[in-house]
């Protein structure tokens, strides 16, 4: 060990936080079969989101009134630094008289007068025709990006009137064209004939405490009834008298592991004598819980911890702690029982938290806790993931309130750990190169990223195994490192020091040393004297190969997963768990049997000229044989650029000809020949080649007043940043849609693949692939009766470790009522890990035009009007990516933004809103009651598509349901969870469940029903696409395809999260007008 200043403190037991890793995704066309995700993800059965930087850390879903406890969707999303307008908008519109579900009783706000709940179905006739030429729709103007402090919930929605400048926003001139004002004026000319009422549209409450989410409007009855099993285990509510005690440990330690060790020693020493023989449950921080009172109200204990033996022969360090335990409160389980019976609106979070902590005590002692999961090599075989990582098996556990009472949700999980191996071997695997060569600068960056924060033990001191945490790498090679050995500043080389002091000859002197300790007192350790300590979760981003390997490990057929879950429950032996016994908690050993229904698939409409004009999907899938797209797009002018050196130009031409033919067969108008011949190009000259070729083709087309409709690219199978560069240039600079195809599909042309690519091209150029027959016949309840717009919204967050990258928000909205098939999309960048969508509505002061407004909702409403000549009278808003603890925040902020966007178009314009959260990152799985019954499972052994559950395992009182809308491919299907947070349209259970299920059959990119409702899916695709629009910065993190580079508003890739969250966010380059009106993200 070499150190600049003499200090030899080993690292204390820090805990590393777990964060999910994700890969990248591209719109490179894939066969329809592989369009589905493979393990509970978006399209098919279950592989989860790939490439979605959905959030890091483990989610606690216990926050909020009436929200679930336990279970998890990814991470708590956000730093709450945000830009907020502080003005409350006074809603003066007239509302229909029918009362909507959700929300508080009428209340008075300032001068707003009395308000009551708006909603209902009698919203009047369709809007009249427009009366003036329609100007171009312009990009939503981004108000200047500035960080502002987090307002309180009350401040969010109260304060000054809208006419005053919003807090934290600049009054600098913006680039919004004056035409937008004209659009608003013309929009206002369309009359909305609503029922006369003296009531105002309901004001949003200023506090989450005033909100009540909609109650369940009864259970659904549509569909074939069946029984399914769920991985929920009934938990009997204890009748013990629970007490909470505050714990103070001094000196204060941040490590939960050390805190637990202190408390474990205290219980061991004093349980019998001072604790009244109670066995307390401890959360590892500040709270202790007991089943019954302790014999004291307040007491102090002294506890001594002895460090583990590092086998150095030196005396082990003893640390003394003072532990103060003080009675804080009694935990009332009566209110939890009332909540479970539906007689109380708010979920008593404290009681749920206590029960969760009690049931986690024993697994925490046995296994390695990571968020809400537990991992151990004893729970399953380790599998290598490559590059020095391995997968560990484990299980997820969370207590949840449900209709059947308390439920313990158990699921299987796997995650990546660093293999316990010598550091030099880890580096060899990581770089896939021999360590005898000198590392490059890129190698240095990669090693530093992978090893920072990792704990190692030294191996050069005999039996001594002292541990240290890596803080970085030296910039110099080991052979160049010198350090002072005495007060006079005598210098000695690291190589010489190790040879003289330990008799250890360093072999790989060309490699850098590990730096341990802090920056002020760094210590140097050669890589070859260090070994990685076992049991460290790898929380950084995984490579594509590692993700594939991890998915292969986690992918289990439903029967196997069910058996593993039951085996885990048996191994956990809750009936003998001393903590469960102490608190009187009893866990059932059987999976919950749940009533379910299988909703029928909808009829799909295709073009009249095809042999099959209508189609009824079978088990969630169909094909394009004998069918033509219901609305084929036109591609008269196209070119192809080949970036793959393995593909000859003649092969590329043949491939394009086959693709053009398939597009024509499928119902498109598609020219057989490109405007210019196919050319080959080098990936490192993408911008010059692409812009040069575009200039050539436009020189030819412009004199004929023609435009280029499509660009086709052939890419190498591993194309690095090429894909992202092409999309950025095409969509934000040239204003043209494109289709990328991988080399492997050019060499192995399949009809299925070409048909799938044709589906994507058609919607990119403005066509429709299919439409619900009920939409054509105006038979969709609460959609077909009046002009209805369906929104989808999502926020994607940077990958773990990318602390300076912004989050990306995307909103899409249907543009073709009554078909609801085409979706225009908008994207914006916002503060790092900010979950609330900031640009839904914006208003600011313009020096020339006064108060102006914009935002994504307003732009999409105007776009709908331009496309249909109708004003939407109903809004259905599907919001993806929200955890239960954030329901109130998101609803308060985003529903208010929707209201203000509508009011900015016309003073009394307030369409009724239904706001539904879509969740995929939960741990509920549904299994067939009889796996051998071929009538109740699909080919993968999963439950049938259309299976819906709204009883027993759902919320005790609120409007939610699980819907498995897709057929599985491999693995266990993950149903989507839909939770209604606001409903002014008064949907019945059958109406919303059927609408959601039917929409899943309209996804444009494949002939399969998908696992989440398409508008939410499209928003996810658009948000992911926008990551490619950010220009890479020079940072030590580099940038891979699909990664989120640092933005110029933040200090590089190594900034802290706080700095990243409060730094100004650089806006994305705007989408070109002739791109954003189409489904460019498909």
């Amino acid at each position: 060990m070499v150190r600049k200043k003499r200090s030899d403190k080993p690292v204390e037991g820090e805990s590393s936080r777990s964060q999910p890793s994700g890969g990248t995704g591209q719109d490179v066309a894939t066969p329809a079969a592989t369009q589905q995700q493979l393990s509970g993800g978006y399209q098919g059965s279950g592989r989860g989101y790939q490439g979605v930087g959905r959030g890091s850390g483990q989610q606690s879903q216990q926050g909020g009134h009436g929200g679930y406890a336990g279970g998890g969707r990814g991470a708590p999303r956000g730093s709450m630094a945000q830009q907020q307008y502080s003005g409350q908008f006074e809603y003066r519109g007239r509302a229909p008289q029918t009362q909507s579900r959700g929300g508080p009783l009428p209340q008075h706000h300032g001068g707003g007068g009395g308000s009551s709940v708006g909603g209902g179905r009698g919203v009047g006739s369709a809007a009249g025709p427009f009366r003036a030429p329609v100007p171009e729709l312009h990009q939503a103007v981004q108000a200047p990006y500035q960080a502002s402090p987090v307002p309180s919930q009350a401040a969010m929605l109260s304060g000054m009137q809208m006419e005053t400048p919003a807090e934290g926003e600049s009054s600098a001139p913006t680039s919004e064209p004056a035409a937008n004002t004209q659009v608003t004026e013309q929009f206002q000319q369309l009359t909305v004939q609503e029922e006369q009422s003296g009531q105002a549209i309901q004001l949003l409450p200023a506090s989450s405490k005033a909100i009540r989410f909609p109650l369940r409007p009864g259970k659904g009855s549509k569909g074939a009834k069946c029984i399914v099993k769920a991985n929920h285990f009934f938990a009997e509510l204890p009748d013990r008298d629970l007490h909470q005690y505050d714990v103070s440990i001094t000196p204060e330690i941040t490590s939960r592991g050390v805190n637990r060790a202190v408390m474990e020693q205290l219980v061991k020493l004093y349980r019998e004598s001072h604790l009244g023989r109670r066995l307390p449950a401890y959360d590892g921080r500040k709270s202790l819980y007991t089943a019954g009172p302790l014999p004291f109200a307040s007491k102090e204990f002294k506890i001594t911890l002895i460090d583990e033996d590092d086998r150095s022969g030196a005396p082990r360090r003893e640390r003394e702690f003072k532990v103060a335990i003080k009675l804080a409160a009694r935990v009332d389980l009566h209110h939890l029982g009332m909540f479970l019976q539906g007689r109380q609106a708010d979920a008593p979070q404290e009681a749920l938290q206590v029960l969760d902590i009690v049931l986690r005590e024993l697994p925490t002692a046995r296994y390695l806790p990571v968020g809400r999961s537990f991992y151990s090599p004893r729970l399953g075989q380790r599998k290598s993931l490559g590059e020095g990582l391995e997968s560990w098996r484990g299980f997820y556990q969370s207590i949840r309130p449900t209709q059947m009472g308390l439920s313990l949700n158990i699921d299987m999980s796997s995650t990546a750990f660093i293999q316990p191996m010598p550091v030099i071997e880890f580096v060899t695997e990581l770089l896939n190169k021999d360590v005898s060569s000198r590392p490059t600068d890129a190698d240095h960056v990669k090693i530093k990223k992978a090893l920072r924060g990792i704990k190692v033990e030294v191996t050069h001191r005999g039996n001594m195994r002292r541990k240290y945490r890596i803080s970085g790498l030296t910039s110099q090679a080991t052979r160049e490192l010198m350090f002072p050995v005495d007060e006079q500043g005598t210098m000695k080389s690291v190589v010489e020091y190790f040879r003289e002091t330990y008799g250890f000859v360093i072999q790989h002197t060309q490699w850098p040393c590990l730096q341990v300790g802090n920056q002020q007192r760094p210590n140097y350790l050669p890589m070859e004297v260090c070994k990685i300590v076992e049991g460290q979760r790898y929380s950084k981003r995984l490579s594509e190969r590692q993700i594939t390997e991890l998915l292969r490990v986690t992918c289990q057929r439903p029967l196997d997963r069910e058996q593993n879950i039951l085996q885990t429950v048996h191994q956990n032996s809750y009936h003998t768990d001393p903590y469960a016994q102490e608190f009187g908690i009893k866990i059932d050993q059987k999976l919950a049997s749940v009533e379910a229904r299988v909703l029928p698939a909808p009829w799909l409409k295709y073009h009249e000229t095809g042999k099959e004009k209508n189609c009824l999907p079978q088990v969630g899938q169909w094909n394009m044989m004998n069918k033509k797209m219901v609305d084929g797009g036109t591609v008269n002018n196209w070119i192809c650029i080949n970036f793959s050196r393995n593909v000859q130009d003649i092969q590329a031409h043949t491939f394009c000809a086959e693709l053009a033919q398939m597009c024509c067969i499928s119902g498109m108008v598609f020219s057989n020949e490109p405007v210019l011949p196919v050319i080959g190009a080098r990936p490192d000259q993408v911008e010059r080649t692409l812009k040069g070729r575009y200039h050539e083709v436009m020189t030819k087309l412009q004199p004929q007043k023609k435009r280029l409709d499509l660009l086709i690219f052939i890419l190498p199978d591993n194309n690095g940043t090429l894909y992202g560069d092409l999309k950025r240039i095409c969509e934000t600079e040239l204003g043209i849609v494109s289709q990328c195809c991988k080399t492997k599909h050019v060499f192995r042309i399949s009809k299925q693949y070409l048909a799938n690519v044709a589906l994507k091209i058609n919607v990119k150029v403005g066509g429709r692939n299919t439409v619900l027959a009920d939409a054509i016949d105006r038979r969709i309840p609460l959609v077909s009766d009046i002009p209805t717009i369906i929104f989808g919204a999502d926020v994607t967050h940077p990958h773990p470790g990318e602390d300076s990258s912004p989050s990306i928000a995307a909103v899409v909205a249907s543009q073709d009522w009554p078909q609801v098939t085409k979706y225009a999309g908008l994207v914006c960048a916002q503060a790092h890990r900010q979950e609330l969508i900031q640009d839904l509505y914006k208003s600011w002061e313009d020096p020339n035009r006064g108060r102006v407004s914009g935002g994504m909702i307003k732009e999409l409403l105007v776009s709908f009007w331009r496309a249909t000549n109708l004003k939407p009278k109903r809004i259905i808003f599907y919001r993806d990516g929200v955890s239960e603890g954030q329901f109130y925040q998101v609803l308060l902020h985003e529903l208010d933004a929707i209201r203000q966007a509508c009011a900015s178009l016309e003073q009394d314009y307030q369409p009724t809103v239904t706001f539904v959260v879509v969740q995929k990152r939960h741990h509920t799985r549904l299994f067939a009651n009889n796996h051998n019954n071929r009538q109740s499972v699909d080919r993968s052994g999963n439950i049938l598509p259309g299976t819906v559950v709204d009883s027993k395992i759902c919320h005790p009182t609120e409007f939610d349901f699980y819907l498995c809308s897709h057929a599985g491919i491999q693995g266990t299907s993950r149903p989507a969870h839909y939770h209604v947070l606001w409903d002014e349209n008064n949907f019945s259970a059958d109406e919303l469940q059927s609408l959601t299920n039917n929409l899943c059959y309209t996804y444009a990119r494949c002939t399969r029903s998908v696992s989440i409702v398409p508008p939410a899916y499209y928003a996810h695709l658009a948000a992911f696409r926008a990551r490619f629009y950010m220009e890479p910065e020079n940072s030590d993190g580099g940038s891979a395809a699909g990664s989120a580079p640092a933005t110029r508003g933040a200090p590089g890739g190594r900034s802290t999260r706080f700095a990243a969250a409060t730094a100004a966010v650089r806006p994305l380059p705007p989408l070109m007008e002739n791109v954003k009106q189409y489904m460019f993200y498909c």
Side-chain angles (χ1 to χ4, degrees):
M1 177 69 185
V2 176
R3 53 196 175 276
K4 283 186 177 177
K5 296 187 180 179
R6 299 189 180 185
S7 166
D8 202 15
K9 284 187 178 181
V11 173
E12 291 181 320
E14 299 93 342
S15 63
S16 62
R17 293 195 178 166
S18 65
Q19 299 184 351
S21 300
T24 62
Q26 299 183 356
D27 82 340
V28 175
T30 54
T34 59
Q35 280 277 337
Q36 301 287 319
Q37 274 189 294
L38 301 178
S39 186
Y42 263 155
Q43 298 174 25
S45 63
R47 282 207 179 174
Y49 291 80
Q50 294 188 25
V52 187
R54 276 262 183 214
S56 63
Q58 187 65 31
Q59 174 66 30
S60 169
Q61 297 201 349
Q62 295 183 346
H65 302 272
Y68 285 6
R73 173 182 167 86
R77 297 238 188 143
S79 64
M80 289 301 298
Q82 56 184 288
Q83 299 176 35
Q84 277 291 356
Y85 45 86
S86 64
Q88 170 185 319
F89 185 81
E90 182 183 347
Y91 300 113
R92 296 179 288 271
R94 295 184 300 278
Q97 293 174 336
T98 310
Q99 177 150 332
S100 69
R101 293 190 301 272
L105 294 172
Q107 40 183 292
H108 293 274
H109 290 254
S115 65
S116 68
V117 182
R121 301 182 186 175
V123 190
S125 62
F130 68 103
R131 300 169 189 166
V134 181
E136 276 298 305
L137 173 65
H138 295 276
Q139 172 97 358
V141 174
Q142 308 239 9
Y145 282 77
Q146 297 177 6
S148 62
V150 185
S152 66
Q153 295 285 10
M156 252 190 232
L157 298 163
S158 63
M160 297 160 36
Q161 291 293 325
M162 181 179 148
E163 286 73 55
T164 56
E167 225 175 7
E169 295 195 22
S170 169
S171 61
T174 67
S175 59
E176 183 178 31
N180 251 9
T181 305
Q182 186 185 0
V183 168
T184 302
E185 290 169 355
Q186 291 169 354
F187 189 95
Q188 291 170 357
Q189 291 171 12
L190 298 177
T191 58
V192 179
Q193 299 170 2
E194 297 178 340
E195 294 181 18
Q196 295 298 316
S197 168
Q199 299 172 327
I201 286 288
Q202 176 188 340
L203 277 170
L204 283 175
S207 163
S208 65
K209 293 184 183 300
I211 287 186
R212 291 292 176 267
F213 295 146
L215 297 179
R216 188 180 305 283
K219 294 174 183 175
S221 59
K222 190 175 180 181
K225 293 183 178 179
C226 62
I227 299 293
V228 296
K229 290 178 287 187
N231 58 338
H232 286 242
F233 298 84
F234 176 70
E236 191 175 313
L237 191 64
D239 57 359
R240 307 291 166 88
D241 192 16
L242 305 189
H243 288 67
Q244 177 185 356
Y245 292 84
D246 288 338
V247 175
S248 173
I249 300 176
T250 50
E252 193 169 341
I253 300 293
T254 56
S255 165
R256 283 194 183 196
V258 175
N259 286 342
R260 287 187 182 280
V262 170
M263 189 57 65
E264 183 183 355
Q265 184 73 359
L266 188 152
V267 172
K268 184 178 176 182
L269 293 174
Y270 298 112
R271 181 181 177 187
E272 299 289 333
S273 59
H274 291 71
L275 302 183
R277 307 187 74 179
R278 303 278 183 208
L279 181 62
Y282 179 48
D283 70 352
R285 294 286 188 216
K286 301 285 187 183
S287 296
L288 189 78
Y289 302 95
T290 59
L294 294 174
F296 53 82
S298 178
K299 198 172 188 66
E300 267 196 10
F301 299 87
K302 285 187 178 179
I303 300 296
T304 301
L305 280 190
I306 302 174
D307 281 2
E308 63 176 306
D309 187 4
D310 62 10
R311 292 183 280 183
S312 64
R316 288 194 276 171
R317 183 177 60 152
E318 294 186 2
R319 288 181 290 171
E320 193 170 277
F321 297 92
K322 214 186 292 184
V323 183
I325 299 177
K326 183 180 179 182
L327 178 63
R330 286 183 58 181
V331 180
D332 190 357
L333 294 181
H334 171 71
H335 290 293
L336 177 56
M338 296 280 284
F339 173 71
L340 293 170
Q341 293 168 30
R343 295 162 63 190
Q344 176 177 317
D346 296 342
Q349 296 300 326
E350 185 68 32
L352 290 166
Q353 184 180 359
V354 173
L355 300 178
D356 206 47
I357 289 168
V358 169
L359 291 174
R360 291 174 61 81
E361 275 285 356
L362 195 60
T364 298
R366 287 178 175 174
Y367 312 120
L368 184 71
V370 176
R372 291 193 168 273
S373 296
F374 300 92
Y375 297 95
S376 170
R378 304 195 303 274
L379 293 173
Q381 190 178 357
R382 307 184 199 196
K383 300 277 188 180
S384 173
L385 302 178
E387 297 183 18
L389 302 186
E390 63 185 9
S391 67
W392 283 22
R393 293 294 301 275
F395 65 93
Y396 168 92
Q397 172 182 296
S398 177
I399 196 110
R400 301 174 64 79
T402 63
Q403 290 176 35
M404 69 177 182
L406 280 181
S407 160
L408 189 67
N409 183 201
I410 301 283
D411 192 24
M412 306 313 298
S413 61
S414 293
T415 195
F417 280 77
I418 301 165
Q419 286 183 293
M421 58 168 63
V423 170
I424 205 76
E425 288 182 23
F426 176 85
V427 169
T428 303
E429 278 204 30
L430 179 72
L431 302 178
N432 193 26
K433 66 189 292 185
D434 187 14
V435 291
S436 60
S437 58
R438 184 181 178 86
T440 64
D441 289 345
D443 292 338
H444 194 279
V445 168
K446 191 171 184 180
I447 297 167
K448 186 177 181 180
K449 280 187 70 175
L451 288 178
R452 187 185 291 153
I454 302 302
K455 193 182 288 186
V456 294
E457 60 182 13
V458 295
T459 60
H460 65 289
R461 300 182 66 177
N463 289 327
M464 197 194 85
R465 288 290 186 265
R466 187 160 288 172
K467 296 181 176 65
Y468 303 90
R469 194 174 294 279
I470 300 171
S471 58
L473 294 182
T474 60
S475 55
Q476 298 165 284
T478 302
R479 61 177 169 232
E480 298 166 3
L481 278 175
M482 307 284 287
F483 67 100
V485 292
D486 54 32
E487 299 298 328
Q488 286 71 43
T490 308
M491 303 298 287
K492 182 173 284 192
S493 74
V494 169
V495 174
E496 188 180 358
Y497 174 82
F498 269 81
R499 186 176 63 246
E500 293 176 359
T501 309
Y502 305 113
F504 187 92
V505 178
I506 300 171
Q507 302 293 322
H508 306 292
T509 58
Q510 74 278 20
W511 288 85
C513 274
L514 303 178
Q515 195 167 302
V516 298
N518 56 43
Q519 295 292 337
Q520 288 72 37
R521 306 177 69 179
N523 303 324
Y524 302 140
L525 286 172
M527 287 184 185
E528 55 205 273
V529 305
C530 297
K531 182 184 177 185
I532 294 170
V533 175
E534 185 179 50
Q536 298 182 78
R537 171 145 192 256
Y538 187 76
S539 60
K540 302 180 181 72
R541 185 181 173 191
L542 299 177
S543 68
E544 289 289 344
R545 179 182 160 222
Q546 288 168 336
I547 291 169
T548 302
E549 290 299 320
L550 186 59
L551 290 174
R552 189 172 288 131
V553 170
T554 57
C555 186
Q556 286 184 296
R557 290 181 65 84
L559 180 58
D560 297 333
R561 194 182 196 102
E562 180 185 327
Q563 290 173 343
N564 280 359
I565 290 170
L566 288 169
Q567 183 182 355
T568 298
V569 172
H570 178 72
Q571 284 176 345
N572 289 349
S573 189
Y574 294 104
H575 61 284
T576 62
D577 181 337
Y579 295 94
Q581 289 179 334
E582 171 84 7
F583 284 79
I585 303 173
K586 296 176 183 176
I587 306 296
D588 197 351
Q589 301 290 299
K590 294 185 295 186
L591 292 158
S593 289
V594 185
E595 291 182 4
R597 290 166 290 115
V598 180
L599 300 178
W603 280 92
L604 302 177
K605 178 70 176 171
Y606 283 92
H607 200 272
E608 292 294 323
T609 58
K611 289 183 181 178
E612 293 185 25
K613 301 171 183 59
N614 295 286
C615 168
L616 183 64
Q618 301 297 315
V619 197
Q621 53 191 310
W622 65 103
N623 58 50
M624 287 295 293
M625 287 178 63
N626 301 322
K627 303 176 191 70
K628 290 187 181 294
M629 296 156 176
V630 70
D631 183 6
T634 299
V635 178
N636 288 322
N637 304 298
W638 60 276
I639 59 171
C640 174
I641 301 176
N642 172 23
F643 286 98
S644 176
R645 63 182 180 183
N646 296 328
V647 176
Q648 303 297 318
D649 288 348
I650 186 65
Q651 293 173 301
H653 184 273
T654 302
F655 171 79
C656 289
E658 294 266 3
L659 179 57
Q661 185 181 11
M662 179 58 75
C663 289
C664 292
I665 292 170
S666 300
M668 293 182 67
V669 175
F670 203 107
S671 174
N672 290 327
E673 291 295 325
V675 178
L676 298 175
V678 176
I679 61 162
R682 289 170 47 183
D684 59 348
Q685 297 178 353
V686 56
E687 188 149 0
R688 186 173 70 182
T689 303
L690 181 50
K691 290 183 176 178
R693 197 63 170 170
Y694 179 76
H695 178 73
E696 286 180 53
V697 75
M698 292 311 294
T699 302
K700 184 173 181 179
L701 293 177
Q702 275 179 335
Q704 306 170 47
K705 296 187 178 179
K706 295 179 180 178
R707 66 173 193 176
L708 185 62
D709 300 310
L710 177 70
L711 267 167
I712 298 174
F713 300 115
I714 296 174
L715 309 185
D717 292 333
N718 297 310
N719 52 74
T721 61
L722 176 59
Y723 173 87
D725 291 338
L726 290 170
K727 292 298 180 183
R728 174 178 55 81
I729 296 167
C730 285
E731 291 158 9
T732 68
E733 297 182 35
L734 303 182
I736 185 167
V737 293
S738 59
Q739 178 61 51
C740 298
C741 303
K742 285 186 175 180
T743 297
K744 61 184 179 183
H745 298 301
V746 175
F747 286 137
R748 190 176 63 253
I749 300 174
S750 77
K751 297 292 185 187
Q752 183 184 20
Y753 170 77
L754 294 177
N756 192 54
V757 176
L759 294 176
K760 297 175 71 174
I761 290 175
N762 187 49
V763 295
K764 286 178 183 180
V765 298
R768 291 187 193 91
N769 293 336
T770 188
V771 175
L772 294 171
D774 279 354
I776 300 296
D777 298 335
R778 299 286 188 96
R779 290 199 308 244
I780 302 178
L782 290 169
V783 172
S784 298
D785 54 342
I786 57 172
T788 300
I789 185 169
I790 302 180
F791 284 90
D794 190 21
V795 179
T796 65
H797 301 293
H799 292 286
E802 293 177 2
D803 289 343
S804 63
S805 300
S807 293
I808 304 290
V811 181
V812 304
S814 59
Q815 303 290 292
D816 57 342
W817 184 81
Q819 296 92 338
V820 291
T821 304
K822 289 182 179 181
Y823 290 82
L826 297 172
V827 292
C828 71
Q830 59 187 41
H832 179 79
R833 301 213 168 275
Q834 167 63 267
E835 181 58 41
L836 306 183
I837 302 178
Q838 299 301 291
D839 272 6
L840 288 181
Y841 174 77
K842 290 284 182 185
S843 65
W844 62 97
E845 200 71 27
D846 183 274
N848 300 318
R849 295 155 53 207
R851 195 71 183 168
V852 293
S853 62
M856 295 191 283
I857 296 290
K858 181 175 181 178
E859 179 168 353
L860 289 167
L861 287 171
V862 174
S863 178
F864 179 95
W865 163 67
R866 289 180 56 230
T868 64
N869 193 29
L870 298 168
K871 278 199 296 190
K873 297 183 182 179
R874 180 186 294 120
I875 292 174
I876 301 171
F877 198 95
Y878 286 102
R879 176 64 155 89
D880 192 13
V882 182
S883 63
E884 285 155 0
Q886 295 175 304
F887 279 1
Y888 291 101
Q889 288 176 310
V890 168
L891 181 64
L892 280 169
H893 175 80
E894 297 182 7
L895 183 57
D896 187 56
I898 294 169
R899 293 273 199 242
Q900 297 213 45
C902 293
S904 71
L905 288 165
E906 184 178 65
Q907 182 173 336
D908 292 336
Y909 175 55
Q910 291 296 338
T912 51
V913 178
T914 295
F915 194 105
V916 186
V917 166
V918 188
Q919 294 176 303
K920 281 293 286 183
R921 290 191 175 179
H922 58 79
H923 287 270
T924 293
R925 299 292 183 274
L926 302 175
F927 305 98
N929 191 46
N930 180 1
H931 291 275
N932 296 319
N933 181 359
R934 292 297 166 194
Q935 301 302 310
S936 63
V937 294
D938 60 22
R939 284 188 297 179
S940 67
N942 280 288
I943 56 174
L944 295 172
T947 301
V948 64
V949 170
D950 59 4
S951 65
K952 205 161 183 179
I953 60 170
C954 293
H955 193 280
T957 58
E958 292 170 10
F959 189 3
D960 73 326
F961 57 91
Y962 291 94
L963 172 64
C964 183
S965 52
H966 63 293
I969 295 180
Q970 58 179 338
T972 303
S973 295
R974 187 199 315 244
H977 183 229
Y978 296 88
H979 201 129
V980 181
L981 303 190
W982 195 262
D983 185 18
E984 292 173 338
N985 294 301
N986 293 330
F987 273 94
S988 70
D990 278 333
E991 286 168 342
L992 186 59
Q993 290 165 9
S994 293
L995 170 64
T996 304
N997 184 59
N998 291 351
L999 286 175
C1000 290
Y1001 286 79
T1002 65
Y1003 182 65
R1005 304 208 308 175
C1006 59
T1007 53
R1008 299 178 70 96
S1009 60
V1010 289
S1011 64
I1012 70 166
V1013 69
Y1017 200 155
Y1018 294 146
H1020 163 71
L1021 293 177
F1024 188 74
R1025 170 64 58 80
R1027 286 231 169 262
F1028 295 123
Y1029 301 162
M1030 295 186 295
E1031 295 177 13
E1033 287 281 312
N1034 293 324
S1035 72
D1036 67 352
S1039 174
S1043 68
T1047 57
R1048 291 176 188 171
R1054 297 178 55 188
S1055 64
T1056 65
R1057 250 177 221 183
F1058 177 79
T1062 56
V1065 178
R1066 183 181 176 217
L1068 297 172
L1071 288 165
M1072 299 294 285
E1073 287 297 326
N1074 50 347
V1075 167
K1076 65 181 176 181
Q1077 60 186 306
Y1078 298 128
M1079 297 170 70
F1080 65 91
Y1081 44 80
C1082 279

